[in-house]
């Protein structure tokens, strides 16, 4: 496969669909040859890549979900030899095994070019100074923004998350023109800006690129007003190049799905049938050029709907409304997806007794947190404060290790959980 | 300046010194033209780059120190327009202003090529799986290892620091062959390996690349024995491309200074005169190809000595003994350098009263920590436990923001500080 010129945009829907079909066929052949999971799927369903003559033929295949990826742990979904995989990320799913995301050098290049294309569309260029406040680590987001900005020839300050007062100093003194953040961390930065009496006029901020969490129109307004800068939403997932699957353009009206790299379906989460345009469903993605871990009909779990393209920017790509949340029970906190089933497994691994519990997200913006309520039975050291305290502290640390988010752990009367 | 072929090694001392001189002359001309600080220094000392005919002529210039870099905050030491700077890092110095480290695209390429050269010399290649447990953020270390490994075409798992049990799972399941860590974090990982009853035989680990802290022969032995893998030391600083200034080769005997990119002097920290080979002094570095922030005679503060090259690897580069610590009062904890003077400034900014204090490093390896003792006067809410607790908590958080390390804060009788 030649290096994808991700900056070249298809001129019409026809051009786009022809490109998608060619790339889909290449992907189908590649996974048939290299990925046992898909080879079996094709055999079981009598699906022959050579007879895939149109994009809709893909609907004959079942969906791929996170469980499939977990069961392939660590490397069974890889379509290239490990030697060609240059970067490996993982995310926590609903299973004990994490989901493994592999990238070849060409995958990284494509992700960076796609990010650079989105950034260029927003008017960003080599003169910009990017401050990236996402965590560089097992998730892909920070790296994708970083490499995209580098492709532009812009300056990158990789601050990662935390040390917020210092981040404000850097924003001001280093002339940050584009801030990259989750919406909740952007709100925290804004609060710190106010606490430190730094006026947005003292900054050179042009825009914020936000990602990782659904957010409301109210949050957008608060951020735009507070920072006196434009907010652009970038949507994506680690399984598919990070936050480059769909993005707002300068008009800020809709999310444009980057369909030359992803074939997108919006399906009823129960029946798996397409929903009409304008109706809510689950976003299901097929990667069209991904090398290390190509995905066919992958369930994102994210609730979306196609909307009429009122944007006028001239993009031929499908327009989505803002992400409305999840179609499953997965909780999203600070940009991290957490499946309650996984919390249950961790609790039963860690505790040597059964326990009633529930998990919720409380607060919004920077105060958002994962609250885990544990029902403590009367006969279970309910009067031993010190032991309780230790249980709570140890458990919080243990869960943070595996979930990537530190929950607040509360001990409650079991009855209060019903 | 052409892209440096950092993988080509000079064949003899003569070749090396000729290369150093040419690169030094180019650097001198560039800083004279673009950096006011060096232009004034040249004028004040009557130093004419055109008359620099040998490397020893450099000794006519005064030393550059961290204070000079802080006073240039944020961008006054830059020798290229900001537009050409693609990555910006900062480190905390002894002044309120951080030290700003800028990199052009070519600087990043050179740092990565140099790292790749060192890694190749250690027998690492495209088949290796690197697990990088350093923090990706305002320091440069993690990025330099990451890009070096990528240049090899190896696989990188950017785990960053923390979540140690998960790191052990990743080491085992993902077939990590090269672990990158600070010595103290490597010890923590080793302890977790033992706690989880994972035998080193269950790993595919070939070697550990360690950096960021001086460490003893005992620590080396514990790590090699525990991991059943070779330990290689890489020395460097953010001001000079990160951990690529000097590195051990496969023989593990000495640190080879990468002299085609750095001109190194070992000076008496008081007189600033060269010390004889074999005697301890301060390492002073001149960067030979750095574009964004070239440095002339920069005081590293690190205590080193030249030793006879008993290694036999054939390198023409100067050999150093292991880093012995600091020549100044700077404390190194978990790979971060902390100047007591900076702690004093932060305390006087934060507290509205004078206080006696001292700072020490306690423990070793993974238990190493910065201990800050504050002398609390009798008349100063000494009996108000709650208020004390809050002061300690708030102060710890505040210092962590600016130092990058969370200290343990202890309130003590003022007399006990003497």
């Amino acid at each position: 496969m030649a290096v994808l010129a991700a900056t070249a945009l298809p001129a019409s829907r026809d051009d786009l669909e022809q490109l998608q079909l060619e790339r889909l066929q290449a992907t189908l052949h590649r996974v048939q040859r290299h990925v046992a999971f898909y080879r079996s799927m094709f055999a079981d369903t009598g699906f022959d890549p050579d007879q895939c003559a149109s994009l809709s033929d893909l609907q004959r295949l079942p969906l791929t979900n996170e469980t499939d990826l977990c069961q392939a742990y660590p490397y069974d979904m890889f379509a290239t030899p490990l030697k060609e995989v240059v970067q490996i990320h993982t995310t926590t799913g609903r299973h004990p095994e994490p989901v493994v995301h592999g990238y070849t050098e060409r995958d990284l290049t494509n992700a960076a070019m796609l990010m650079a294309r989105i950034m260029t569309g927003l008017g960003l260029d080599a003169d910009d100074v990017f401050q990236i406040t996402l965590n560089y680590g097992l998730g892909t987001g920070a790296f994708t923004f970083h490499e995209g900005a580098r492709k532009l020839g812009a300056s990158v300050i990789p601050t990662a998350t935390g040390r917020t007062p210092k981040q404000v100093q850097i924003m001001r003194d280093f002339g940050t023109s584009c801030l990259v953040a989750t919406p909740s961390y952007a709100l925290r930065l804004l609060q710190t800006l106010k606490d430190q009496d730094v006026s947005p006029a003292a900054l050179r901020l042009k825009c914020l690129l936000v990602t990782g969490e659904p957010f409301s129109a109210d949050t957008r307004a608060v951020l735009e007003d507070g920072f006196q800068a434009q907010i652009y939403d970038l949507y994506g997932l680690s399984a598919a190049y990070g936050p480059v699957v769909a993005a707002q353009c300068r008009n800020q009206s809709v999310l444009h799905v980057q369909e030359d790299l992803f074939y997108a379906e919006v399906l009823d989460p129960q029946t798996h049938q397409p929903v009409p345009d304008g109706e809510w469903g689950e976003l299901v993605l097929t990667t069209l050029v991904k090398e290390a871990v190509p995905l066919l009909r992958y369930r994102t779990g994210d609730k979306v709907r196609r909307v009429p393209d009122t944007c006028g920017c001239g993009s031929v790509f499908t327009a989505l409304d803002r992400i409305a949340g999840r179609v499953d029970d997965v909780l999203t906190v600070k940009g991290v997806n957490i499946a309650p089933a996984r919390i249950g497994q961790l609790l039963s691994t860690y505790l040597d007794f059964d326990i009633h519990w529930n998990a919720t997200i409380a607060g919004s913006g920077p105060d958002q947190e994962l609250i885990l309520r544990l029902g403590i039975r009367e006969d279970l050291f309910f009067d031993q404060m010190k032991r309780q305290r230790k249980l709570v502290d140890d458990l919080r640390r243990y869960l943070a290790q595996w979930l990537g988010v530190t929950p607040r752990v509360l001990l409650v009367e079991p009855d209060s959980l019903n």
Side-chain angles (χ1 to χ4, degrees), chain A residues 62-327:
Chain A
L63 306 185
T64 301
N65 59 35
E66 195 193 78
T67 303
D68 300 321
L69 301 195
C70 291
Q71 284 167 352
Y73 178 85
Y75 292 147
D76 285 354
M77 286 301 261
F78 281 25
T80 50
L82 188 54
K83 186 170 176 162
E84 289 175 27
V85 175
V86 297
Q87 204 159 304
I88 298 170
H89 293 268
T90 73
T91 46
T92 303
R94 58 185 70 222
H95 301 270
E97 296 75 25
V99 181
V100 181
H101 310 290
Y103 291 82
T104 64
E105 187 64 41
R106 202 165 286 154
D107 284 336
L108 291 181
T109 302
N110 279 334
M113 287 179 79
L114 193 44
M115 179 58 88
R117 178 172 79 186
I118 292 166
M119 288 172 166
T120 303
L122 295 174
L124 297 162
D125 61 28
D127 286 329
D128 281 293
V129 178
F130 285 79
Q131 183 170 339
I132 300 181
T133 71
L134 307 174
N135 262 327
Y136 289 73
L138 289 172
T140 53
F143 290 95
T144 309
F145 281 104
H146 190 120
E147 293 298 313
R150 205 169 149 188
K151 276 261 181 283
L152 294 188
S155 309
V156 179
I157 313 170
T159 51
T161 311
R163 305 172 74 184
T164 312
K166 184 164 182 177
Q167 301 248 13
V168 169
Q169 185 191 4
I170 286 172
M171 277 178 77
R172 190 191 57 203
D173 294 348
F174 288 48
T176 300
S177 63
C178 177
L179 183 74
V180 178
T182 58
S184 53
Y185 193 65
L187 286 169
R188 185 183 296 275
L189 274 165
L190 183 59
Q191 187 55 52
T192 307
L193 212 65
K194 286 178 183 162
D195 293 348
Q196 297 191 357
D197 249 336
V198 177
S199 148
L203 308 177
R204 286 187 227 159
L205 206 59
K206 283 162 37 180
C207 66
L208 278 76
L209 308 186
V210 298
T211 194
E213 301 160 352
F215 63 106
S216 66
D218 284 353
T219 297
R220 168 183 294 274
V222 167
L223 290 175
E224 289 201 334
D225 185 55
F227 282 111
Q228 290 290 302
Q230 305 296 305
I231 312 294
Y232 303 106
D233 188 13
L234 282 84
Y235 164 80
L237 52 164
S238 286
Y241 288 149
V244 288
V245 171
Q248 288 190 317
C249 69
R250 292 178 97 149
N251 295 342
Q252 296 177 290
S253 59
V254 297
L255 288 161
H256 300 284
V257 183
Q258 306 293 306
E259 292 181 286
D260 49 347
L261 277 82
F262 308 101
Y263 178 69
E265 301 171 85
V266 183
L267 305 182
D268 181 303
Q270 266 71 52
T271 66
H272 302 183
Q273 293 304 305
V275 301
D277 287 359
E279 289 190 16
W280 294 103
E282 177 176 5
L283 183 66
V284 171
L285 292 176
T286 297
T287 63
L288 296 175
V289 298
K290 210 153 170 289
E291 289 191 329
V293 189
L295 294 172
L296 303 182
R297 306 197 88 199
Y298 183 69
R299 298 188 71 163
T300 65
D302 289 311
K303 189 173 172 184
V304 300
R305 61 172 176 176
R306 293 181 200 267
V307 291
D309 187 349
T310 53
C311 165
C313 73
S315 167
V316 302
F317 293 151
T318 290
L320 297 181
D321 201 355
R322 85 162 60 88
I323 310 296
R326 300 282 304 179
V327 298

Side-chain angles (χ1 to χ4, degrees), chain A residues 353-415:
Chain A
F353 50 87
D354 283 337
I355 201 160
H356 286 282
W357 61 276
N358 73 27
T360 50
I361 304 289
S364 62
D367 300 322
Q368 198 180 51
E369 57 182 348
L370 176 68
I371 309 266
L372 185 63
R373 285 184 179 77
L374 305 181
I376 296 296
R377 296 195 310 274
E378 283 284 345
D379 58 331
L380 206 70
F381 63 86
F382 193 64
D383 52 350
Q384 299 179 37
M385 286 294 286
K386 201 168 161 188
R387 204 171 145 203
Q388 279 184 15
R389 190 72 238 155
K390 182 161 162 42
L391 171 81
V392 165
D393 282 348
D394 292 351
L395 187 59
R396 197 174 54 214
R397 267 194 293 273
Y398 175 77
L399 292 170
Q401 293 284 346
W402 298 103
L403 298 176
V405 165
T406 305
R408 190 204 299 209
V409 177
L410 301 175
L411 303 184
V412 299
E413 298 277 350
D415 291 349

